[in-house]
């Protein structure tokens, strides 16, 4: 399976994993290791920046991972920029996930502020991954603003519904000029595999793993699903047909008289 390139970052795993929500630090460590991820994501506003490595990532060897803080909690582009700069000053990143929520009920992003934040963060030297809805035009606009990856939601954050609008997601993937990381709404390994089979470059998960009865097993299942889905996409699967098509040869076969 090919590696994932985001800006100047080369990632060996196409599964990005969130931190937080785990019941114990031990469960988090077990799930992270089982997932095989190379990227850990977290909300900057929810961690103590002066002691993040000891408190938030207890038991994890952070030298093994790329850190992907996000700007969750930001209502404006300026707040997102300030949050990202705090994470960078704390030595946690030069890569950032832009998240500017515009609706507290649906947790959908504010399109105007998201585009603005993307542009500002790119100009400030960050490797920028931008969270969007499954809006095809918004995905295009954040790419025009310079993002290094676009992260459309499969479904509302934390819902576990899977891909609710496959048509839009297919269009985002088909038109993308940067990697597409499906973010939010994935609930099961089959959802993750579906996204990868459609041509997504990666999947970001948190709730589906952290909230599972056995996070370690779910993380391992998600790892297998992402790998299987990507290999299926790269292999060039056969096109679907509306009618049967025999797998045995139809010529040169003896027929009963």
């Amino acid at each position: 399976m090919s590696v994932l390139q985001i800006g100047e970052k080369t990632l060996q795993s196409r599964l990005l994993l969130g931190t937080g929500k785990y019941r114990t630090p031990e469960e988090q460590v077990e799930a992270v290791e089982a997932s095989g991820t190379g990227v850990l994501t977290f909300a900057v506003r929810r961690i103590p920046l002066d002691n993040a490595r000891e408190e938030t990532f207890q038991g994890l060897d952070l030298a093994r991972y790329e850190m992907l803080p996000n700007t969750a909690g930001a209502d404006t582009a300026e707040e997102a920029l300030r949050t990202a700069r705090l994470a960078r000053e704390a030595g946690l990143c030069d890569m950032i996930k832009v998240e500017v929520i515009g609706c507290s009920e649906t947790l959908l992003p504010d399109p105007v502020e998201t585009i603005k934040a993307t542009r500002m963060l790119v100009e400030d030297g960050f490797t920028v991954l931008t969270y969007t809805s499954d809006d095809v035009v918004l995905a295009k606009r954040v790419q025009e603003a310079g993002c290094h990856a676009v992260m459309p939601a499969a479904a509302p954050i934390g819902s576990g519904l899977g891909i609710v609008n496959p048509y839009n997601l297919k269009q985002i993937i088909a038109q993308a000029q940067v990697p597409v990381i499906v973010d939010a709404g994935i609930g099961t390994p089959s959802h993750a595999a579906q996204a990868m089979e459609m041509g997504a470059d990666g999947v970001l998960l948190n709730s589906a793993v952290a909230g599972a009865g056995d996070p370690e097993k779910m993380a391992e299942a998600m790892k297998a699903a992402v790998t299987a889905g990507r290999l299926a996409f790269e292999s060039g699967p056969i096109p679907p047909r509306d009618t049967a098509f025999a797998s045995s040869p139809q010529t040169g076969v003896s027929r009963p008289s």
Side-chain angles (χ1 to χ4, degrees), residues 88-105:
R88 183 166 62 188
E89 289 300 317
L92 292 174
C93 74
D94 55 4
M95 186 164 64
I96 193 77
K97 174 187 169 185
V98 175
E99 193 172 318
V100 185
I101 300 301
C103 175
S104 60
E105 292 297 318

Side-chain angles (χ1 to χ4, degrees), residues 59-83:
L60 292 170
D61 178 7
L62 298 189
R64 296 169 52 192
Y65 306 100
E66 293 283 351
M67 307 302 290
L68 178 61
N70 68 59
T71 64
D75 296 320
T76 66
E78 289 76 16
E79 286 183 33
L81 178 61
R82 183 162 56 250
T83 300

Side-chain angles (χ1 to χ4, degrees), residues 185-216:
I186 297 294
T188 65
S190 62
H191 298 156
Q194 180 186 8
M196 298 303 291
E197 288 175 6
M198 291 168 64
D201 297 282
V203 170
L204 188 148
L205 303 167
N206 189 355
S207 300
V209 171
D214 188 329
E216 182 180 9

Side-chain angles (χ1 to χ4, degrees), residues 173-186:
I173 292 169
Q175 297 182 38
Q177 302 299 310
V178 299
V180 176
I181 311 296
V182 175
D183 179 18
I186 297 294

Side-chain angles (χ1 to χ4, degrees), residues 21-257:
K21 295 190 175 183
Y22 292 91
R23 290 174 285 266
T24 67
E26 291 75 21
E27 276 195 345
Q28 178 167 273
V29 171
E30 291 166 356
V32 168
E33 292 182 349
S35 74
T37 188
V39 179
L40 299 179
T41 185
F42 57 95
V44 175
R45 293 192 174 196
R46 296 186 182 136
I47 67 172
L49 291 177
D50 59 343
N51 197 29
R53 295 177 184 274
E54 287 72 23
E55 291 191 25
T56 307
F57 307 112
Q58 182 180 343
L60 292 170
D61 178 7
L62 298 189
R64 296 169 52 192
Y65 306 100
E66 293 283 351
M67 307 302 290
L68 178 61
N70 68 59
T71 64
D75 296 320
T76 66
E78 289 76 16
E79 286 183 33
L81 178 61
R82 183 162 56 250
T83 300
R85 285 175 170 173
L86 283 171
R88 183 166 62 188
E89 289 300 317
L92 292 174
C93 74
D94 55 4
M95 186 164 64
I96 193 77
K97 174 187 169 185
V98 175
E99 193 172 318
V100 185
I101 300 301
C103 175
S104 60
E105 292 297 318
T106 64
L107 299 181
L108 288 171
D110 181 317
V112 175
E113 293 298 313
T114 295
I115 295 167
K116 183 179 176 182
T118 298
R119 185 176 296 111
M120 292 169 68
L121 285 158
V122 169
E123 291 173 352
D124 206 48
F126 286 91
T127 298
V128 178
L129 296 80
T130 304
Y131 168 69
T132 73
S133 63
D134 58 9
D135 185 299
V136 178
V137 177
L138 177 56
K140 292 175 67 174
R141 295 292 179 261
V142 297
Q143 291 176 71
E144 291 167 359
C147 75
H148 300 88
V150 61
M151 306 184 77
I157 292 173
S159 67
L161 290 172
I163 301 171
V164 297
N165 196 336
Y167 174 81
N168 274 23
L169 187 56
K170 286 178 181 178
Q171 287 298 316
I172 290 171
I173 292 169
Q175 297 182 38
Q177 302 299 310
V178 299
V180 176
I181 311 296
V182 175
D183 179 18
I186 297 294
T188 65
S190 62
H191 298 156
Q194 180 186 8
M196 298 303 291
E197 288 175 6
M198 291 168 64
D201 297 282
V203 170
L204 188 148
L205 303 167
N206 189 355
S207 300
V209 171
D214 188 329
E216 182 180 9
K217 284 185 178 179
M218 183 60 78
E220 187 175 358
M222 289 294 187
K223 174 185 177 181
V226 168
T227 299
R230 183 63 189 185
L231 288 174
F233 172 75
E234 292 181 352
S235 72
I238 63 172
R241 297 170 55 94
D242 292 329
T243 58
F245 185 74
S247 57
S248 301
Q250 299 299 297
T251 59
V253 178
S254 60
R255 305 286 183 181
S257 55

